[in-house]
Amino acid sequence: QVQLVESGGGLVQAGGSLRLSCTASRVIFSINTMGWYRQAPGKQRELVAVITSGGSTNYADSVKGRFTISRDNAKNTVYLQMNSLRTEDTAVYYCNVQGRSYDGNRELWGQGTLVTVSS
């Protein structure tokens, strides 16, 4: 079955860095966009970064200049390099993949990986 597997979360001090990875296994539809969302306790899930099949990227204002999204199409993997981390970045980060199959649009979510930034 199609699934997204995330890794790379953990505990890091403010100012430090982490790199998240998400790999889509046995995907049977054409992938268009890949991205990262996050959800902090008591808050709405929000878009962090997204990258299209053509390599175009968009970032939330709060992470611009600090986070970088990239993808490896051969590996069906999307990455999120997070630098200069702040305590406000603490959240569960979810991988998201969107695409199209023969009969419509498709969307997958990863299981979530916890990023905790300490002061």
Side-chain angles (χ1 to χ4, degrees):
Q1 184 62 43
V2 177
Q3 59 182 345
L4 301 181
V5 179
E6 303 180 27
S7 64
L11 175 65
V12 65
Q13 291 184 334
S17 299
L18 284 175
R19 189 192 193 208
L20 306 183
S21 299
C22 174
T23 298
S25 301
R26 297 185 297 278
V27 174
I28 59 175
F29 57 85
S30 178
I31 296 175
N32 182 18
T33 62
M34 307 181 79
W36 292 93
Y37 292 71
R38 68 186 181 187
Q39 188 166 24
K43 301 184 70 175
Q44 298 278 336
R45 186 173 299 188
E46 65 175 347
L47 174 69
V48 177
V50 63
I51 184 168
T52 70
S53 59
S56 297
T57 59
N58 282 289
Y59 298 91
D61 288 340
S62 60
V63 307
K64 286 180 180 176
R66 300 188 297 119
F67 291 9
T68 302
I69 188 171
S70 61
R71 63 192 286 173
D72 186 334
N73 291 330
K75 297 179 179 179
N76 271 355
T77 299
V78 61
Y79 306 94
L80 186 67
Q81 179 66 46
M82 304 184 293
N83 299 326
S84 301
L85 283 162
R86 306 166 181 168
T87 56
E88 301 96 307
D89 296 317
T90 295
V92 177
Y93 285 70
Y94 297 92
C95 176
N96 174 264
V97 173
Q98 297 180 344
R100 171 171 283 275
S101 67
Y102 74 96
D103 61 344
N105 297 327
R106 295 288 182 265
E107 182 176 54
L108 296 173
W109 289 93
Q111 81 281 5
T113 185
L114 177 62
V115 172
T116 303
V117 184
S118 66
S119 60

